[in-house]
Amino acid sequence: QAKSPAATGQSSLDQAKRLIDSEQPEAAAVMLRRFIESSPAPDLLDDAYLLMAAAMFGMKEHAETVRYINQLLGEFPASELVDRAKLLLARTHARAGNLDLALPLLSEVRSLSADPGVKRDALRLTGEFQAQKKDFLRAIQAWLDEMPLDVDDQARETEGQIRQLVNEQLDVRT
């Protein structure tokens, strides 16, 4: 029995995600480029754009990352992947040294997302980026705001992150 086109498309996307997760973004990009050129079902295209953006991010192709995220946001503004795309866009801006572009995006995602996992990720990144800017109190506040959203061992990790920042940056020896 042959797979439906949607099932075949989803399995291609799953395989591309596995490649990205195993740090093989180049192979994922080749697969995704072919997939996108095959005129897939629209309900799979937003996933393909986000995965392609993630592959480009993994390859440190910042302009291409932004291009695919903007394509997703432009063509699928109501997609459930919009918040994840904005998180990736913020990470892309931060990697390029543009923390002042990244932080407002994270603030928007935190405010508008209904997904607790996305909110948590936005707060974690906000803390990391504020720490990079040497705004340690805002970093700590973001991580404290994240803790109620943490699951399993994440709260302990967040607490460790705060403790490390305090010990390394704020602990004044007398």
Side-chain angles (χ1 to χ4, degrees):
Q1 171 182 342
K3 280 187 178 178
S4 73
T8 302
Q10 187 59 54
S11 104
S12 293
L13 294 177
D14 293 343
Q15 186 178 357
K17 181 168 181 3
R18 282 192 299 277
L19 287 168
I20 292 166
D21 290 344
S22 64
E23 297 183 14
Q24 299 176 56
E26 294 86 358
V30 169
M31 173 181 268
L32 288 162
R33 200 165 275 119
R34 267 190 230 124
F35 179 78
I36 291 168
E37 289 168 358
S38 74
S39 303
D43 61 322
L44 297 177
L45 200 50
D46 58 343
D47 287 292
Y49 288 156
L50 184 58
L51 286 170
M52 183 60 111
M56 292 294 131
F57 183 82
M59 294 164 54
K60 297 181 173 52
E61 296 284 347
H62 299 114
E64 287 297 296
T65 302
V66 171
R67 184 172 81 81
Y68 281 102
I69 291 170
N70 285 337
Q71 203 160 352
L72 187 159
L73 297 175
E75 291 181 33
F76 302 98
S79 169
E80 62 190 27
L81 301 175
V82 163
D83 290 338
R84 288 258 165 232
K86 288 180 181 176
L87 288 177
L88 182 56
L89 185 58
R91 290 177 61 211
T92 303
H93 286 318
R95 185 189 272 174
N98 297 320
L99 295 173
D100 292 332
L101 290 176
L103 288 164
L105 269 171
L106 294 173
S107 178
E108 177 187 334
V109 170
R110 274 195 328 267
S111 300
L112 301 178
S113 180
D115 180 338
V118 169
K119 282 182 185 283
R120 186 183 60 72
D121 290 347
L123 285 162
R124 176 166 298 264
L125 289 170
T126 299
E128 289 174 18
F129 299 164
Q130 292 291 7
Q132 286 177 31
K133 286 183 72 170
K134 308 266 187 258
D135 193 339
F136 303 121
L137 296 179
R138 280 201 173 105
I140 291 168
Q141 186 60 56
W143 290 331
L144 288 172
D145 292 344
E146 172 195 341
M147 288 179 79
L149 301 171
D150 286 342
V151 290
D152 301 329
D153 289 341
Q154 291 172 331
R156 216 173 357 270
E157 288 173 26
T158 302
E159 198 175 290
Q161 222 174 353
I162 292 170
R163 189 173 292 112
Q164 181 181 359
L165 183 74
V166 168
N167 289 337
E168 290 176 4
Q169 303 296 333
L170 300 176
D171 194 18
V172 179
R173 305 264 188 266
T174 53

